[in-house]
Amino acid sequence: MKNFDTVSLSFSGGSHDHKHCVKTALNDAEALCSARGARLTDARKRVLELVWESHHPVGAYDVLSKLSQESGKTAPPTVYRALDFLLEQGLIHRIESLNAYVGCSHPSEEHSGVFLICNNCGCAAEVHDSTIDQAILKKTDSLGFKTDQRMLEVRGTCPDCHSTQ
Amino acid sequence: MKNFDTVSLSFSGGSHDHKHCVKTALNDAEALCSARGARLTDARKRVLELVWESHHPVGAYDVLSKLSQESGKTAPPTVYRALDFLLEQGLIHRIESLNAYVGCSHPSEEHSGVFLICNNCGCAAEVHDSTIDQAILKKTDSLGFKTDQRMLEVRGTCPDCHSTQ
DNA sequence: TTAAATAATGATATGTTATAACATTTACAG
DNA sequence: CTGTAAATGTTATAACATATCATTATTTAA
């Protein structure tokens, strides 16, 4: 895994060009899936788009109702299958503490992010920090625990909400 | 918050005196609640006992069915109220990635644990590490994010399962 | 010590999130 | 083409959680 400390979206104040954001994500997704021989079908692509509609985590049933509106009756498995595919490909992340999903902004890297979730506005930022990664690794190693995945979610107030009050 | 690095139960190989473990937890809980003027009623105490029955996270509906067996028909709110109380008092923790609950082994300290969850045997160990805490704090501070709570759950294979294969 | 206030519990219904199981259609390699 | 695997459709249900209102128990304070 590449050793990088980045912030995917660190609290833009709602002022970034989100359409561009989504377009980039979709292009990246196409390229990645193509390179891997994975099939980013229309249904999967549409779900990815819907997850990317904001930087707020989106619930499966939110996706479901939008899908139902635009394409007629849709059943839960349709959505969950697409979400599972996108998770497998690393194109989205699941926020366990919200039962919700967010787009991943650098899916080409294998990684475990840290999610900062604002209790006020609901936005979620994915950040990376090798110091945190190493601290966790050191601890699990010292206990002989072999890690498969890890989830680190921090709830609080984002700088935008904090300054605006 | 006291600065401590401890392992609550680091993979005992299933060989510890669990009855003692539970008894201690219940005594501590009584003492704490008493000191705080919080009411550890029979119902709440029984739920705490049930959560402590193993070091595996226990689902709310597992608790519910045991309660129904021993006390006749019980409804979900009964269990969730007790779990909420126990969470508030820091007597149990919720494992978000499992929708399940585990007993807290040192409830008198205010703390955020790290949970190591074995995908093989299902056991969960709560560990603490100030290096991890500090790394996370440093990162969130640098981004101007004010933390309320955090969850860190690591899924993998515990040393017992790894050695036994 | 009793009435009022507060906290806890009981009971019913329903909301929310997720998956099992099986049928059908689509993509694509041979 | 056509057989196989992958994806999707469909129905039902499992699993997790809360809203609401009625009732009972406990504490507080007059």
Side-chain angles (χ1 to χ4, degrees):
Chain A
M1 179 178 172
K2 203 175 148 197
N3 197 17
F4 62 138
D5 293 11
T6 54
V7 179
S8 303
L9 169 76
S10 30
F11 312 116
S12 58
S15 62
H16 71 294
D17 179 355
H18 192 61
K19 275 186 186 165
H20 176 258
C21 205
V22 175
K23 202 175 171 195
T24 304
L26 287 176
N27 284 342
D28 289 358
E30 298 258 28
L32 259 178
C33 288
S34 168
R36 290 172 183 165
R39 290 169 55 199
L40 186 62
T41 61
D42 287 352
R44 291 165 173 175
K45 189 153 73 178
R46 185 65 189 128
V47 170
L48 181 57
E49 251 169 6
L50 289 171
V51 170
W52 264 110
E53 271 196 351
S54 76
H55 286 284
H56 291 59
V58 175
Y61 279 71
D62 294 338
V63 172
L64 182 60
S65 64
K66 283 183 186 162
L67 233 45
S68 292
Q69 277 171 34
E70 62 190 40
S71 320
K73 191 185 144 206
T74 306
T78 301
V79 173
Y80 281 102
R81 284 167 182 153
L83 291 172
D84 287 346
F85 171 85
L86 297 170
L87 285 169
E88 272 166 25
Q89 298 298 323
L91 298 171
I92 61 175
H93 292 287
R94 177 176 161 84
I95 307 296
E96 295 291 343
S97 63
L98 293 173
N99 297 325
Y101 305 82
V102 282
C104 174
S105 34
H106 40 258
S108 56
E109 305 286 345
E110 203 187 356
H111 64 282
S112 296
V114 177
F115 295 93
L116 308 184
I117 303 150
C118 180
N119 287 326
N120 184 245
C121 70
C123 73
E126 179 183 349
V127 308
H128 292 269
D129 185 291
S130 53
T131 306
I132 295 173
D133 296 344
Q134 283 161 23
I136 296 171
L137 183 63
K138 189 179 168 200
K139 186 66 176 178
T140 52
D141 272 1
S142 76
L143 295 169
F145 188 90
K146 306 288 177 198
T147 299
D148 291 335
Q149 332 140 234
R150 72 139 218 257
M151 289 138 271
L152 175 47
E153 298 171 14
V154 183
R155 307 289 292 269
T157 311
C158 74
D160 297 338
C161 287
H162 190 255
S163 60
T164 316
Q165 292 264 17
Chain B
M1 178 177 170
K2 202 175 146 196
N3 197 16
F4 61 137
D5 293 11
T6 56
V7 180
S8 303
L9 168 76
S10 30
F11 311 116
S12 57
S15 63
H16 72 294
D17 180 355
H18 192 60
K19 275 186 188 166
H20 177 259
C21 205
V22 175
K23 203 177 170 194
T24 304
L26 287 176
N27 284 342
D28 289 359
E30 299 258 27
L32 259 178
C33 287
S34 169
R36 290 173 184 163
R39 290 168 55 195
L40 186 62
T41 61
D42 288 351
R44 290 163 173 176
K45 190 153 73 177
R46 185 65 190 128
V47 170
L48 181 57
E49 251 170 5
L50 289 170
V51 170
W52 263 109
E53 271 196 350
S54 76
H55 286 284
H56 292 57
V58 176
Y61 277 72
D62 295 337
V63 172
L64 182 60
S65 64
K66 283 183 186 162
L67 234 44
S68 292
Q69 277 171 33
E70 63 190 38
S71 320
K73 190 184 146 207
T74 306
T78 301
V79 173
Y80 282 102
R81 283 168 183 154
L83 291 172
D84 287 346
F85 171 86
L86 297 170
L87 285 168
E88 272 166 24
Q89 298 298 324
L91 298 170
I92 61 174
H93 292 289
R94 177 177 160 86
I95 307 295
E96 295 290 345
S97 64
L98 293 172
N99 297 326
Y101 305 81
V102 283
C104 174
S105 34
H106 41 258
S108 56
E109 305 286 346
E110 204 187 355
H111 63 282
S112 294
V114 178
F115 294 93
L116 308 184
I117 302 151
C118 180
N119 287 326
N120 185 244
C121 70
C123 73
E126 178 183 349
V127 307
H128 292 269
D129 186 291
S130 54
T131 306
I132 295 173
D133 296 343
Q134 283 162 23
I136 296 170
L137 183 64
K138 189 179 168 198
K139 186 66 176 181
T140 50
D141 272 2
S142 76
L143 295 169
F145 188 90
K146 307 288 178 197
T147 299
D148 291 335
Q149 333 138 233
R150 71 137 217 257
M151 60 139 275
L152 175 47
E153 297 171 13
V154 184
R155 307 290 292 269
T157 311
C158 73
D160 296 339
C161 288
H162 189 255
S163 60
T164 313
Q165 288 268 15

